[in-house]
Amino acid sequence: MEMNPKVQKGALFLIIFLLILFVPLAGYGLFLKLTGPVKTTGLENVNHEFYFDNKLWFYQDDGTLLGTYECKTSRCGYAINTINDEEYGVNSVAVAEDEPIKIINNRFAVLTDTSDTSVSEAFIYDIVNGVSYQQAAYLSAKDYGVGISGNLLIVENASHQYGVIQLSDIIAPVVPIQYTFIGLTDQKDETGKILADYFIVANENSWRLIDQNGAMLTSEIFEAIVDYTGTYLITRSEEGYYHLLDYNNNSILSEDFSYLSFTDKYLNCFTTTNEFYVYDIANQEIVSQTYSIEEDDEVLTTVDPNNNVVISINNEVVETIESD
């Protein structure tokens, strides 16, 4: 049967119209498929991989699954510890390069998930409740790779100001985000986490020790605080010289040192003339021999089980200072 020319022409127009309508829609669907977020397939992560099926999988040491996070970009994973303590000479724990911030309190992960390679990002993710705080992301964060006691985290905002938050049932500020630097020294609790009784903080060109309540424990100090005891501070000048002060900014030893550190109640003194000795701060006296040292010499002081201080140079014990 021969088709009516008018019907044939109308059918042709209909086909052309449908092509105009659906081809762009098909193309747009392909665009979304190529550029949109990858969808998970619901596969079972039998090997307990961290990144699997476009998700991050969080497991306890015994293999129990805590929860998952669905990635939005390919640059998705744990945030890396961003530590600038060494810039100021702070005696903080040594951290391997690219050390991630581990799960905190079996509940919180500090993640990054951005396709912008020029942007640093560290946001909190509540693994148990599946809640992401990506809208309140930080520029950087640090827990020194071993964790900070009290489930604390040092964070940096977009204005390069530092503060401290605590990750518990709620995410609460401990130290206001208002400092140009915050650091902790290498002192650990019985679980191996960094003690957070005192924080070293800086504002512009002055330094202080503060506690978790924000109370000022020292006078304003005008050199970087690199270490402390309950009574004394070791500071480092911009020229790289070390000094011993009390909490009221009074100088205890007047000379410049190339390096100072604490061992128990003693002070390890490296002079600018390449000599080393141990100083008893309380009794204000040198209690060891004075040793000439070379630039590459490794000098180590440790406390033995009898509370004696043992001095070793290049792995050879040279002197033992008996405890009182």
Side-chain angles (χ1 to χ4, degrees):
M1 178 179 178
E2 188 173 339
M3 183 177 293
N4 188 308
K6 291 184 178 181
V7 175
Q8 186 177 18
K9 187 175 181 180
L12 179 61
F13 282 139
L14 177 62
I15 293 171
I16 293 173
F17 173 76
L18 292 175
L19 286 173
I20 292 173
L21 176 65
F22 288 110
V23 168
L25 289 176
Y28 180 65
L30 178 62
F31 171 79
L32 288 179
K33 185 174 182 180
L34 293 176
T35 61
V38 177
K39 298 298 183 182
T40 57
T41 63
L43 295 173
E44 185 178 356
N45 188 4
V46 294
N47 294 322
H48 290 187
E49 298 177 56
F50 176 53
Y51 180 85
F52 176 80
D53 196 25
N54 200 51
K55 289 182 180 180
L56 304 181
W57 301 67
F58 306 99
Y59 292 94
Q60 294 187 31
D61 292 339
D62 63 2
T64 301
L65 179 65
L66 294 170
T68 62
Y69 168 81
E70 186 162 347
C71 295
K72 299 178 178 65
T73 74
S74 59
R75 295 181 68 248
C76 177
Y78 285 126
I80 301 300
N81 268 285
T82 303
I83 300 174
N84 58 344
D85 297 36
E86 187 177 352
E87 177 182 340
Y88 303 101
V90 176
N91 181 29
S92 58
V93 64
V95 179
E97 188 177 356
D98 294 334
E99 181 71 31
I101 301 173
K102 300 178 178 65
I103 295 174
I104 298 172
N105 199 28
N106 274 335
R107 177 173 173 180
F108 295 99
V110 186
L111 303 179
T112 184
D113 186 7
T114 176
S115 58
D116 189 347
T117 58
S118 66
V119 174
S120 297
E121 178 189 62
F123 66 90
I124 310 301
Y125 178 65
D126 185 335
I127 302 169
V128 174
N129 294 308
V131 178
S132 173
Y133 296 91
Q134 195 167 6
Q135 295 301 318
Y138 301 102
L139 188 64
S140 72
K142 63 182 176 182
D143 73 347
Y144 297 96
V146 296
I148 302 174
S149 62
N151 301 322
L152 302 181
L153 187 69
I154 298 173
V155 295
E156 176 192 11
N157 68 13
S159 299
H160 301 288
Q161 294 176 311
Y162 291 83
V164 182
I165 59 175
Q166 184 174 48
L167 305 182
S168 187
D169 289 334
I170 60 173
I171 300 174
V174 174
V175 175
I177 304 178
Q178 63 184 31
Y179 295 98
T180 57
F181 170 81
I182 296 182
L184 292 168
T185 59
D186 186 6
Q187 301 182 50
K188 299 184 179 72
D189 63 16
E190 64 277 2
T191 68
K193 293 185 177 181
I194 301 296
L195 284 172
D197 297 332
Y198 297 170
F199 293 94
I200 298 173
V201 300
N203 251 338
E204 300 301 331
N205 295 318
S206 65
W207 296 69
R208 290 182 186 270
L209 286 184
I210 66 172
D211 65 16
Q212 286 191 26
N213 297 315
M216 302 295 179
L217 306 177
T218 67
S219 300
E220 199 171 19
I221 308 297
F222 298 100
E223 294 181 343
I225 298 173
V226 301
D227 209 347
Y228 57 83
T229 65
T231 309
Y232 301 103
L233 306 170
I234 295 175
T235 64
R236 191 182 75 168
S237 70
E238 291 184 358
E239 296 77 22
Y241 294 119
Y242 288 74
H243 302 105
L244 182 69
L245 309 176
D246 65 17
Y247 277 26
N248 293 316
N249 200 26
N250 297 311
S251 179
I252 305 302
L253 295 174
S254 58
E255 62 260 52
D256 297 330
F257 292 88
S258 62
Y259 186 71
L260 293 174
S261 65
F262 294 115
T263 297
D264 197 36
K265 63 179 181 179
Y266 299 109
L267 185 70
N268 304 308
C269 302
F270 295 80
T271 73
T272 57
T273 57
N274 298 322
E275 291 182 329
F276 168 80
Y277 58 83
V278 175
Y279 183 79
D280 185 330
I281 305 172
N283 295 313
Q284 300 181 10
E285 61 179 353
I286 297 173
V287 292
S288 75
Q289 298 181 51
T290 299
Y291 299 90
S292 296
I293 56 174
E294 302 294 334
E295 183 178 352
D296 295 331
D297 285 343
E298 182 178 321
V299 181
L300 183 66
T301 56
T302 56
V303 179
D304 71 11
N306 297 317
N307 291 323
N308 301 320
V309 173
V310 179
I311 304 173
S312 301
I313 299 179
N314 297 327
N315 296 318
E316 180 182 347
V317 175
V318 295
E319 188 176 354
T320 299
I321 303 170
E322 295 186 358
S323 62
D324 297 334

